[in-house]
């Protein structure tokens, strides 16, 4: 069982229009709605791969049941007056409008720690993904990671902003920032990526996996530094590709894969997600073919802490 | 008691952004949501004026209660799987995205006729406003008007498309098209407006009030033809101004006002609605001052049917 935690879930909405023109009235041709949020996307991908998964988080009364309808075990605390929506207007271009998160009561963080604590026994990995709603302290993902660490469960944290900073200061969990998130932690240029990630892994005392979108990922692990690049340029929708990559990392940790193989699967899953039009799904045949062809390249023999 | 009927209600959402740029990701600064739809806006304005009102229509299980919370008596049949949303993105410009209406079961129209029938005794006016959702025949507003006619209750129909055409063919109810709606009925140029509206009133066998936005209205009534213009140019948000004008017409009918006074109040209410940032509200002090200054100008002694 892999646990995913989503503190700031969303209702993902997609509007289809011919063309979005500011100042005009548009009749929307089609509306698609689904339960979303980064941790939820991770859970969907794992579920699609047949991996037992339990999606946890903060939400409202309708959120967990909407995932349960898809066959995904879900436990979301009913602490939000309303769920934020993330609207994608799909015309000639893709335009996104992200609602702010709904504030949660002061005791919601403690309740979530308790919920995750009861779910941890028997878990093989924990993934905490995405932003935090107003009312949740930045240190919550780090607290959850500490709890999992004590239970011997490996942890992946896909965070940004103050939560990423707090997790780095606490240390010990695998961090998976993208380039924008990396730059909130430290000044860096593309030519400096390897030393920067090495330095962060050293501070973190645990691996750091920098996700690079269509360029794959750069990881500093106990087994060395690895650059993993997709086998080909993949056309499609990159939304949710990072979540699929995190699902791959959690899957590899849960099954005890060595880092090079784990990272290859993570990159193959990210690329296979681009092939699907919605976040939280992967193209399974593309995943199989990418897994067979992607290779990890050792970029530096030095491991963090050396 | 004035009855309003809304067959295609909506959840009105407003997103505040700095500037809407197609192809970009926007963090929405503020989300405002409220129960909407043209008949609902009419009911809100009447309620704000202290007029007893009963809002009826098709909807879902949450729609009526959300109006009842505002103190508005509401009876909406629970026949929609989901309520359509009308999204306004407010940045440097106002951009609108209108979801399609949710289809309703085949027997929803009959159920609404029954519901309105039970509400009619004691009513002083009926207003049927707005579009029809998929599954509702174009003749439904005309059927409701016939029912009210039989009960001696005056009717205002603010419709478009096939429903407006069907209501005109049936005749007998006051029609309040705008210029766009008029042009779906007949070819006309601005210089031809009076003869066109006279002709429609003749076909209709009842008054036709052409709403002209910031130019006021042109009405062909039993008491003659009237042009009523706002007393000044009003800056603000014109969304919902037409609904306030319809509320004014219903109010005048309910209180037995003569046409010139009724039309002046309708124009004053429409202008007072422009002063408020959201549809379904009027600026009460502006309404008082506009009512004191607006005048109806007789534009032709000939009445329809002459």
């Amino acid at each position: 069982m892999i646990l995913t935690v989503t503190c700031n879930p969303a209702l993902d909405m997609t509007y289809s229009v011919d063309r979005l023109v500011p100042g005009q009235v548009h009749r929307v041709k089609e509306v698609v709605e689904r339960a979303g949020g980064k941790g939820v996307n991770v859970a969907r991908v794992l579920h699609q791969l047949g991996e037992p998964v339990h999606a946890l988080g903060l939400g409202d009364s309708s959120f967990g049941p909407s995932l349960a309808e898809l066959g995904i075990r879900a436990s979301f605390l009913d602490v939000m007056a309303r769920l934020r929506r993330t609207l994608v207007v799909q015309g000639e271009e893709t335009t996104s409008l992200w609602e702010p998160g709904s504030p949660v009561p002061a005791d919601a963080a403690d309740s979530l720690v308790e919920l995750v604590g009861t779910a941890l026994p028997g878990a093989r990995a924990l993934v905490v993904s995405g932003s935090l709603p107003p009312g949740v302290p930045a240190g919550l993902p780090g607290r959850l990671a500490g709890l999992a660490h004590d239970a011997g469960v490996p942890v992946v944290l896909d965070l940004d902003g103050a939560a990423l900073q707090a997790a780095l200061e606490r240390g010990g969990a695998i961090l998976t920032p993208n380039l924008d998130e990396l730059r909130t932690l430290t000044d860096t240029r593309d030519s400096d990526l390897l030393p920067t990630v090495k330095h962060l892994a050293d501070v973190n005392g645990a691996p750091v996996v920098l996700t690079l979108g269509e360029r794959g990922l750069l990881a500093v692990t106990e087994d060395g530094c690895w650059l993993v690049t997709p086998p080909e340029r993949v056309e499609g929708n990159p939304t949710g590709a990072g979540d699929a990559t995190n699902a791959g990392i959690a899957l590899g940790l849960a099954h005890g894969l060595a880092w090079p193989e784990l990272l290859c699967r993570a990159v193959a899953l990210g690329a296979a997600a681009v092939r699907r039009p919605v976040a939280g799904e992967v193209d399974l045949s593309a995943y199989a073919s990418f897994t067979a062809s992607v290779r990890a390249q050792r970029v530096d023999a030095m491991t963090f802490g050396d």
Side-chain angles (χ1 to χ4, degrees), chain A:
Chain A
M1 180 71 75
I2 296 175
L3 311 183
T4 70
V5 174
T6 312
C7 295
N8 203 7
L11 187 66
D12 289 344
M13 289 170 34
T14 305
Y15 281 180
S16 301
V17 300
D18 286 328
R19 184 162 165 252
L20 180 64
V21 185
Q24 298 292 304
V25 173
H26 307 76
R27 289 195 183 269
V28 175
K29 292 186 292 184
E30 196 192 11
V31 181
V32 177
E33 285 186 13
R34 41 183 287 156
K38 290 171 81 70
V40 170
N41 292 339
V42 173
R44 281 178 184 278
V45 170
L46 291 169
H47 179 70
Q48 196 189 351
L49 296 173
E51 186 69 21
V53 65
H54 186 178
L56 305 120
L58 306 175
D60 68 0
S61 60
S62 68
F63 196 77
S66 71
L67 284 175
E69 275 177 24
L70 305 174
I72 296 174
R73 185 173 169 194
S75 305
F76 281 77
L77 297 173
D78 179 12
V79 292
M80 290 175 169
R82 52 178 292 282
L83 221 59
R84 75 191 170 103
R85 282 165 291 213
T86 56
L87 173 62
V88 170
V89 182
Q90 191 62 58
E92 290 177 353
E93 294 142 312
T94 300
T95 308
S96 300
L97 293 146
W98 295 359
E99 293 188 6
S102 181
V104 300
D107 59 356
D110 287 345
S111 303
L112 185 61
V113 169
E114 196 177 326
L115 176 67
V116 172
T118 61
L120 270 172
R124 301 176 73 175
L126 169 69
V127 188
V128 184
S129 296
S131 59
L132 302 179
V136 167
L140 176 65
R143 265 179 85 189
L144 297 173
L147 209 65
H149 192 80
D150 293 346
V153 176
V155 185
V156 183
L157 299 181
D158 181 14
L159 309 171
D160 61 9
L164 175 57
Q165 181 71 51
L168 178 66
E169 283 164 13
R170 184 176 185 119
I174 298 165
L175 304 179
T176 63
N178 64 24
L179 213 42
D180 284 342
E181 290 154 0
L182 183 77
R183 287 181 175 137
T184 64
L185 293 178
T186 175
D187 276 342
T188 189
R189 290 169 304 180
D190 266 22
S191 56
D192 293 337
L193 288 180
L194 184 57
T196 302
V197 178
K198 273 185 178 171
H199 170 70
L200 289 181
D202 197 28
V203 171
N204 189 37
V208 173
V209 179
L210 174 68
T211 60
L212 295 163
E214 62 187 19
R215 292 189 286 154
L217 57 79
L218 176 66
V220 175
T221 77
E222 304 91 338
D223 287 341
C225 305
W226 304 93
L227 180 66
V228 188
T229 312
E232 58 190 76
R233 192 180 157 77
V234 182
E235 297 289 334
N237 174 16
T239 313
D243 302 328
T245 299
N246 278 283
I249 295 170
L251 194 70
L253 292 170
H255 292 273
L257 299 189
W259 275 104
E261 188 183 346
L262 178 159
L263 295 170
C264 287
R265 286 194 174 261
V267 166
L269 268 180
V274 174
R275 283 277 182 86
R276 297 286 301 162
V278 292
E281 290 180 14
V282 293
D283 179 330
L284 288 175
S285 68
Y287 172 50
S289 104
F290 294 158
T291 299
S293 58
V294 72
R295 293 283 173 274
Q297 176 191 353
R298 187 183 286 274
V299 285
D300 193 306
M302 202 174 78
T303 59
F304 63 87
D306 279 359

